[in-house]
Amino acid sequence: MPDWEQDVAEVILSEEQIAQRVAQLAEQIAADYQYAELVIVGILTGSFVFLADLMRQLDRPCEVDFLQAASYGSGTVSSGEVAIGKDLTLSVTGKHVLLVEDIVDSGRTLTELVRLVENRKPASVKVCALLSKSARRELAVELNYIGFEIPDRFVVGYGLDYAQHFRNLPFIGVLRENPTTASRE
Ligand code: IMP
Ligand code: MG
Protein backbone atom coordinates (compact mmCIF):
# COMPACT_ATOMS: atom_id res chain seq x y z
CA MET A 1 0.00 0.00 0.00
CA PRO A 2 1.44 3.42 -0.92
CA ASP A 3 2.30 5.68 2.00
CA TRP A 4 -0.37 8.29 1.21
CA GLU A 5 -3.23 5.79 1.50
CA GLN A 6 -3.01 6.03 5.30
CA ASP A 7 -4.04 9.67 5.11
CA VAL A 8 -6.05 10.10 1.93
CA ALA A 9 -9.60 8.74 2.05
CA GLU A 10 -10.44 9.17 -1.62
CA VAL A 11 -8.84 10.50 -4.80
CA ILE A 12 -11.30 13.00 -6.30
CA LEU A 13 -9.19 14.32 -9.20
CA SER A 14 -6.66 12.10 -10.92
CA GLU A 15 -3.40 13.24 -12.46
CA GLU A 16 -4.95 12.74 -15.93
CA GLN A 17 -8.12 14.71 -15.13
CA ILE A 18 -6.06 17.59 -13.78
CA ALA A 19 -3.69 17.63 -16.78
CA GLN A 20 -6.59 17.68 -19.21
CA ARG A 21 -8.33 20.56 -17.42
CA VAL A 22 -5.10 22.55 -17.06
CA ALA A 23 -4.54 22.29 -20.83
CA GLN A 24 -8.09 23.57 -21.47
CA LEU A 25 -7.61 26.49 -19.10
CA ALA A 26 -4.31 27.42 -20.77
CA GLU A 27 -5.96 27.39 -24.16
CA GLN A 28 -8.78 29.61 -22.94
CA ILE A 29 -6.33 32.03 -21.30
CA ALA A 30 -4.13 32.17 -24.42
CA ALA A 31 -7.18 33.03 -26.53
CA ASP A 32 -8.32 35.75 -24.10
CA TYR A 33 -4.88 37.38 -23.92
CA GLN A 34 -4.05 37.26 -27.62
CA TYR A 35 -3.26 40.97 -27.72
CA ALA A 36 -2.00 41.53 -24.20
CA GLU A 37 1.15 40.41 -22.44
CA LEU A 38 0.54 38.75 -19.13
CA VAL A 39 2.08 38.82 -15.69
CA ILE A 40 1.15 35.57 -14.00
CA VAL A 41 1.11 35.96 -10.22
CA GLY A 42 1.06 32.73 -8.27
CA ILE A 43 -0.27 32.79 -4.72
CA LEU A 44 2.22 30.90 -2.58
CA THR A 45 2.57 28.25 -1.54
CA GLY A 46 -0.27 26.12 -2.80
CA SER A 47 -0.41 27.34 -6.41
CA PHE A 48 3.15 26.50 -7.40
CA VAL A 49 2.42 23.09 -8.91
CA PHE A 50 -0.64 24.31 -10.81
CA LEU A 51 1.19 27.43 -11.99
CA ALA A 52 4.16 25.42 -13.24
CA ASP A 53 1.89 23.16 -15.30
CA LEU A 54 -0.37 25.98 -16.50
CA MET A 55 2.42 28.22 -17.76
CA ARG A 56 4.08 25.39 -19.67
CA GLN A 57 0.81 24.80 -21.51
CA LEU A 58 0.38 28.52 -22.19
CA ASP A 59 1.40 29.53 -25.68
CA ARG A 60 1.76 33.24 -24.85
CA PRO A 61 4.60 35.48 -23.68
CA CYS A 62 4.39 35.98 -19.92
CA GLU A 63 6.24 37.10 -16.83
CA VAL A 64 5.90 35.24 -13.53
CA ASP A 65 5.86 36.54 -9.98
CA PHE A 66 4.55 35.39 -6.60
CA LEU A 67 2.56 36.75 -3.70
CA GLN A 68 2.16 35.07 -0.37
CA ALA A 69 -0.71 35.31 2.04
CA ALA A 70 -1.58 33.14 4.98
CA SER A 71 -5.16 32.75 6.17
CA TYR A 72 -4.72 29.29 7.65
CA GLY A 73 -2.52 27.90 10.37
CA SER A 74 -1.77 24.24 10.09
CA GLY A 75 -5.38 23.25 10.77
CA THR A 76 -8.24 22.80 8.36
CA VAL A 77 -10.35 25.79 9.43
CA SER A 78 -9.76 29.36 8.28
CA SER A 79 -8.58 31.76 10.98
CA GLY A 80 -10.33 34.53 9.07
CA GLU A 81 -7.28 36.76 8.93
CA VAL A 82 -5.08 37.39 5.94
CA ALA A 83 -1.47 38.49 6.33
CA ILE A 84 0.85 39.38 3.46
CA GLY A 85 3.91 37.15 3.59
CA LYS A 86 5.63 38.04 0.32
CA ASP A 87 4.93 41.06 -1.82
CA LEU A 88 5.40 41.28 -5.59
CA THR A 89 8.93 41.59 -6.91
CA LEU A 90 7.92 42.92 -10.34
CA SER A 91 6.08 46.15 -11.05
CA VAL A 92 2.61 45.39 -12.42
CA THR A 93 1.59 48.98 -13.11
CA GLY A 94 -0.04 49.14 -16.54
CA LYS A 95 0.24 45.37 -16.99
CA HIS A 96 -2.32 42.59 -17.32
CA VAL A 97 -2.21 40.47 -14.19
CA LEU A 98 -3.52 36.94 -13.88
CA LEU A 99 -3.64 35.80 -10.25
CA VAL A 100 -3.28 32.04 -9.93
CA GLU A 101 -4.67 30.35 -6.82
CA ASP A 102 -4.87 26.70 -5.81
CA ILE A 103 -8.26 26.85 -4.09
CA VAL A 104 -10.81 29.49 -3.18
CA ASP A 105 -12.63 28.73 0.03
CA SER A 106 -14.07 31.69 2.03
CA GLY A 107 -12.69 34.08 -0.59
CA ARG A 108 -10.85 36.14 2.03
CA THR A 109 -7.32 35.53 0.78
CA LEU A 110 -8.18 36.38 -2.77
CA THR A 111 -10.23 39.47 -1.91
CA GLU A 112 -7.25 40.84 -0.02
CA LEU A 113 -4.73 40.01 -2.74
CA VAL A 114 -6.87 41.36 -5.58
CA ARG A 115 -7.10 44.61 -3.60
CA LEU A 116 -3.32 44.68 -3.16
CA VAL A 117 -2.72 44.17 -6.89
CA GLU A 118 -5.38 46.74 -7.85
CA ASN A 119 -3.60 49.32 -5.70
CA ARG A 120 -0.59 49.00 -8.04
CA LYS A 121 -2.72 50.25 -10.98
CA PRO A 122 -2.44 47.30 -13.36
CA ALA A 123 -4.15 47.41 -16.79
CA SER A 124 -6.36 44.51 -15.64
CA VAL A 125 -6.64 41.83 -12.97
CA LYS A 126 -8.18 38.42 -13.52
CA VAL A 127 -8.20 35.30 -11.37
CA CYS A 128 -7.59 31.69 -12.26
CA ALA A 129 -8.32 29.16 -9.51
CA LEU A 130 -7.77 25.45 -9.90
CA LEU A 131 -10.43 24.61 -7.32
CA SER A 132 -13.43 26.43 -5.89
CA LYS A 133 -15.52 25.45 -2.87
CA SER A 134 -18.34 27.88 -3.55
CA ALA A 135 -20.47 26.39 -0.73
CA ARG A 136 -18.05 27.98 1.74
CA ARG A 137 -17.80 31.44 0.20
CA GLU A 138 -18.10 34.33 2.65
CA LEU A 139 -16.89 37.11 0.38
CA ALA A 140 -18.02 37.32 -3.24
CA VAL A 141 -14.98 37.25 -5.50
CA GLU A 142 -15.02 37.01 -9.27
CA LEU A 143 -13.22 33.93 -10.60
CA ASN A 144 -12.54 34.31 -14.31
CA TYR A 145 -11.18 30.79 -14.76
CA ILE A 146 -12.08 27.80 -12.58
CA GLY A 147 -10.57 24.36 -12.96
CA PHE A 148 -13.07 22.40 -10.86
CA GLU A 149 -15.93 23.11 -8.46
CA ILE A 150 -15.51 20.78 -5.48
CA PRO A 151 -17.69 19.94 -2.47
CA ASP A 152 -16.96 21.23 1.02
CA ARG A 153 -14.25 18.74 1.95
CA PHE A 154 -10.63 19.32 2.89
CA VAL A 155 -8.40 18.26 0.01
CA VAL A 156 -4.66 17.78 -0.40
CA GLY A 157 -2.19 17.13 -3.20
CA TYR A 158 -1.07 18.88 -6.41
CA GLY A 159 0.32 21.75 -4.30
CA LEU A 160 -2.40 21.74 -1.63
CA ASP A 161 -1.25 20.95 1.88
CA TYR A 162 -2.36 19.85 5.27
CA ALA A 163 0.15 21.22 7.82
CA GLN A 164 2.66 21.69 4.94
CA HIS A 165 2.47 18.03 3.92
CA PHE A 166 1.02 16.24 0.90
CA ARG A 167 1.85 18.98 -1.63
CA ASN A 168 3.85 16.42 -3.60
CA LEU A 169 0.95 14.09 -4.36
CA PRO A 170 0.33 14.21 -8.13
CA PHE A 171 -3.47 13.96 -7.68
CA ILE A 172 -6.05 15.67 -5.44
CA GLY A 173 -7.60 13.66 -2.64
CA VAL A 174 -9.77 14.08 0.43
CA LEU A 175 -7.87 13.99 3.70
CA ARG A 176 -8.90 11.35 6.26
CA GLU A 177 -10.41 12.43 9.58
CA ASN A 178 -7.31 11.75 11.67
CA PRO A 179 -4.28 11.90 9.39
CA THR A 180 -1.19 10.18 10.78
CA THR A 181 1.25 12.40 8.84
CA ALA A 182 1.58 15.88 10.40
CA SER A 183 -0.53 15.94 13.53
CA ARG A 184 -3.17 18.58 14.08
CA GLU A 185 -2.17 21.59 16.21
P1 IMP B 1 -9.82 31.42 1.74
O1 IMP B 1 -9.13 32.69 2.12
O2 IMP B 1 -10.74 30.93 2.84
O3 IMP B 1 -10.53 31.48 0.41
O4 IMP B 1 -8.74 30.30 1.71
C1 IMP B 1 -7.94 30.07 0.64
C2 IMP B 1 -6.69 29.32 1.07
O5 IMP B 1 -6.97 28.35 2.08
C3 IMP B 1 -6.13 28.56 -0.09
O6 IMP B 1 -5.14 29.33 -0.74
C4 IMP B 1 -5.54 27.34 0.56
O7 IMP B 1 -4.21 27.58 0.90
C5 IMP B 1 -6.33 27.14 1.83
N1 IMP B 1 -7.35 26.08 1.69
C6 IMP B 1 -8.69 26.21 1.65
N2 IMP B 1 -9.30 25.03 1.51
C7 IMP B 1 -8.31 24.11 1.46
C8 IMP B 1 -8.32 22.66 1.30
O8 IMP B 1 -9.33 21.98 1.16
N3 IMP B 1 -7.09 22.08 1.29
C9 IMP B 1 -5.93 22.78 1.41
N4 IMP B 1 -5.89 24.11 1.55
C10 IMP B 1 -7.07 24.76 1.58
MG1 MG C 1 -3.13 28.97 -0.55
Side-chain angles (χ1 to χ4, degrees):
M1 164 169 128
D3 216 44
W4 57 262
E5 279 189 16
Q6 293 177 44
D7 295 314
V8 174
E10 186 194 339
V11 174
I12 59 164
L13 294 167
S14 70
E15 212 174 331
E16 294 73 24
Q17 278 174 296
I18 296 169
Q20 198 175 30
R21 188 69 188 120
V22 169
Q24 287 171 349
L25 289 172
E27 217 170 290
Q28 208 181 328
I29 292 165
D32 292 350
Y33 288 89
Q34 258 178 69
Y35 305 105
E37 192 167 325
L38 265 176
V39 183
I40 299 180
V41 174
I43 300 175
L44 292 172
T45 305
S47 74
F48 82 103
V49 177
F50 175 41
L51 185 146
D53 283 347
L54 184 71
M55 64 178 282
R56 282 177 294 175
Q57 295 291 322
L58 190 68
D59 187 20
R60 291 293 308 147
C62 63
E63 295 176 84
V64 180
D65 200 354
F66 294 95
L67 265 178
Q68 185 156 38
S71 66
Y72 283 74
S74 55
T76 58
V77 178
S78 172
S79 63
E81 278 176 29
V82 177
I84 303 300
K86 184 217 168 280
D87 203 337
L88 292 171
T89 301
L90 303 176
S91 165
V92 295
T93 305
K95 295 182 179 172
H96 295 279
V97 175
L98 181 66
L99 276 169
V100 174
E101 177 62 304
D102 52 357
I103 184 165
V104 184
D105 187 34
S106 70
R108 290 182 185 281
T109 308
L110 209 51
T111 300
E112 210 51 47
L113 296 181
V114 166
R115 189 176 307 157
L116 182 148
V117 172
E118 275 171 352
N119 284 340
R120 311 283 162 85
K121 308 282 177 233
S124 70
V125 185
K126 284 191 182 183
V127 177
C128 175
L130 178 67
L131 306 174
S132 170
K133 284 187 204 171
S134 46
R136 287 181 46 88
R137 205 76 86 246
E138 292 168 26
L139 296 181
V141 51
E142 189 185 354
L143 304 182
N144 306 91
Y145 307 95
I146 301 175
F148 304 92
E149 268 296 341
I150 63 161
D152 179 13
R153 299 175 79 184
F154 196 84
V155 293
V156 295
Y158 198 70
L160 290 120
D161 75 306
Y162 166 68
Q164 302 303 329
H165 286 74
F166 308 110
R167 296 193 197 273
N168 57 317
L169 299 179
F171 50 79
I172 291 169
V174 174
L175 193 67
R176 279 192 204 284
E177 269 302 311
N178 294 299
T180 55
T181 306
S183 56
R184 250 170 237 260
E185 276 180 15

